[in-house]
Amino acid sequence: MSEAILSVENVTLRFGGLTALSDLSLTLGRGELAGVIGPNGAGKTSLFNVLTGVYPVDNGELRAFGRSLAGLKPFEIARLGVVRTFQNIRLFKELTVLDNVRVALHARQAPSLAATLLDRPSAQKSEDRMRAQALHLLSRLDLSARALERAGGLPYGEQKRLEIARALAAEPRVLLLDEPAAGMNPSESAWLKDTIRALRGEFGLSILLIEHDMSVVMDLCERLIVLDHGQKIAEGAPEVVRKDPRVLEAYLGTKKNEKKAAS
């Protein structure tokens, strides 16, 4: 694997008596496209939450680009270049599709108030540039025709694509995608796989994604990390992971079913 730019080292996360992540270690290489899979409650979204500063860990260390993430707030981690989308969509639903992306660009690129007041032509050029960038990102996610529509009125699958466009506006180096194919039909999922591959190269991204659609992760990801009850139970190429007995048991309850059949 290439140089690790994101690392999770012996991380444990507890909520009272519940252990969401248990002594978990994993890495993401530069330019890699990897997936995190596991049954419901396996700890997948908890992993993204600790990586982006939503939850502090109880034990262990998180690092990005060689820097510890301990104590950093979510916006500070995003400024470092670790940016995510969410399983539960968090768009500004009353704003237009275009303005949702412009908000993210403003957070990253907007001139200061003083610069705006003292140099209005420069400020206008900045606004024009950000509008053009936003339109380009919407084009890449096949949302140009929706630019002036209210974001909350989009079909669910298109809202997921808008979240990706908005995440790209934050200029990530590492992109964490939480169930990007949710709500998409097979044709849309196929389009999304091609788009994610293209975006990785175009934007120089390293991508870690959570996805329940096995046809997506098996075809898209170069490496899979499998979680169950907050622990890593398997890791490797998709064709290897899919045959792992521990993975089959976690998803299908293989051993439990065998015991029932024998009784």
Side-chain angles (χ1 to χ4, degrees):
M1 190 179 71
S2 58
E3 171 198 359
I5 59 171
L6 189 69
S7 65
V8 176
E9 301 172 12
N10 306 115
V11 162
T12 295
L13 173 69
R14 300 185 185 92
F15 299 104
L18 172 67
T19 300
L21 299 172
S22 179
D23 197 29
L24 179 64
S25 295
L26 58 89
T27 60
L28 180 69
R30 186 179 300 277
E32 188 179 17
L33 205 171
V36 180
I37 64 173
N40 289 333
K44 303 181 297 295
T45 296
S46 292
L47 169 63
F48 274 23
N49 284 336
V50 297
L51 283 170
T52 53
V54 176
Y55 300 142
V57 300
D58 293 285
N59 294 294
E61 187 172 13
L62 304 161
R63 302 185 71 83
F65 321 112
R67 176 175 174 179
S68 172
L69 301 181
L72 295 185
K73 299 183 184 302
F75 76 88
E76 293 173 321
I77 293 174
R79 284 180 180 172
L80 275 181
V82 180
V83 178
R84 72 176 294 181
T85 64
F86 290 87
Q87 179 181 359
N88 299 314
I89 295 171
R90 299 190 184 185
L91 299 173
F92 298 109
K93 295 192 176 183
E94 297 306 315
L95 296 182
T96 66
V97 169
L98 176 62
D99 283 343
N100 265 272
V101 181
R102 289 175 66 195
V103 165
L105 289 168
H106 265 275
R108 195 76 176 183
Q109 303 178 20
S112 67
L113 177 60
T116 301
L117 293 175
L118 294 173
D119 190 356
R120 291 183 179 178
S122 176
Q124 185 58 53
K125 286 181 181 178
S126 176
E127 287 293 330
D128 292 343
R129 183 181 68 252
M130 283 188 279
R131 179 182 173 86
Q133 285 181 279
L135 288 170
H136 171 69
L137 291 172
L138 290 178
S139 175
R140 290 299 291 111
L141 274 299
D142 201 20
L143 289 169
S144 295
R146 303 283 201 178
L148 300 182
E149 296 183 23
R150 189 176 66 88
L154 296 181
Y156 188 82
E158 292 186 0
Q159 290 189 36
K160 297 292 286 189
R161 281 154 46 194
L162 178 54
E163 273 221 318
I164 296 174
R166 192 174 64 174
L168 291 172
E171 301 178 8
R173 289 188 281 170
V174 171
L175 183 59
L176 307 178
L177 299 175
D178 197 343
E179 296 195 35
M184 295 186 179
N185 62 40
S187 176
E188 290 172 323
S189 294
W191 174 90
L192 181 69
K193 287 186 291 185
D194 291 340
T195 300
I196 289 174
R197 289 190 190 100
L199 292 174
R200 173 174 59 164
E202 182 178 340
F203 290 89
L205 299 170
S206 305
I207 300 175
L208 186 65
L209 65 88
I210 295 169
E211 185 54 62
H212 282 290
D213 187 332
M214 289 297 103
S215 67
V216 171
V217 292
M218 290 295 174
D219 186 44
L220 180 61
C221 298
E222 299 151 346
R223 180 169 59 97
L224 293 179
I225 299 150
V226 188
L227 303 185
D228 188 30
H229 294 96
Q231 296 181 312
K232 182 170 67 176
I233 61 169
E235 181 176 7
E239 60 271 19
V240 174
V241 165
R242 73 191 307 166
K243 299 174 184 176
D244 190 302
R246 294 166 298 178
V247 177
L248 294 174
E249 182 184 356
Y251 272 99
L252 305 175
T254 305
K255 289 184 179 179
K256 294 176 184 177
N257 290 337
E258 288 174 355
K259 288 178 181 177
K260 284 183 180 179
S263 62

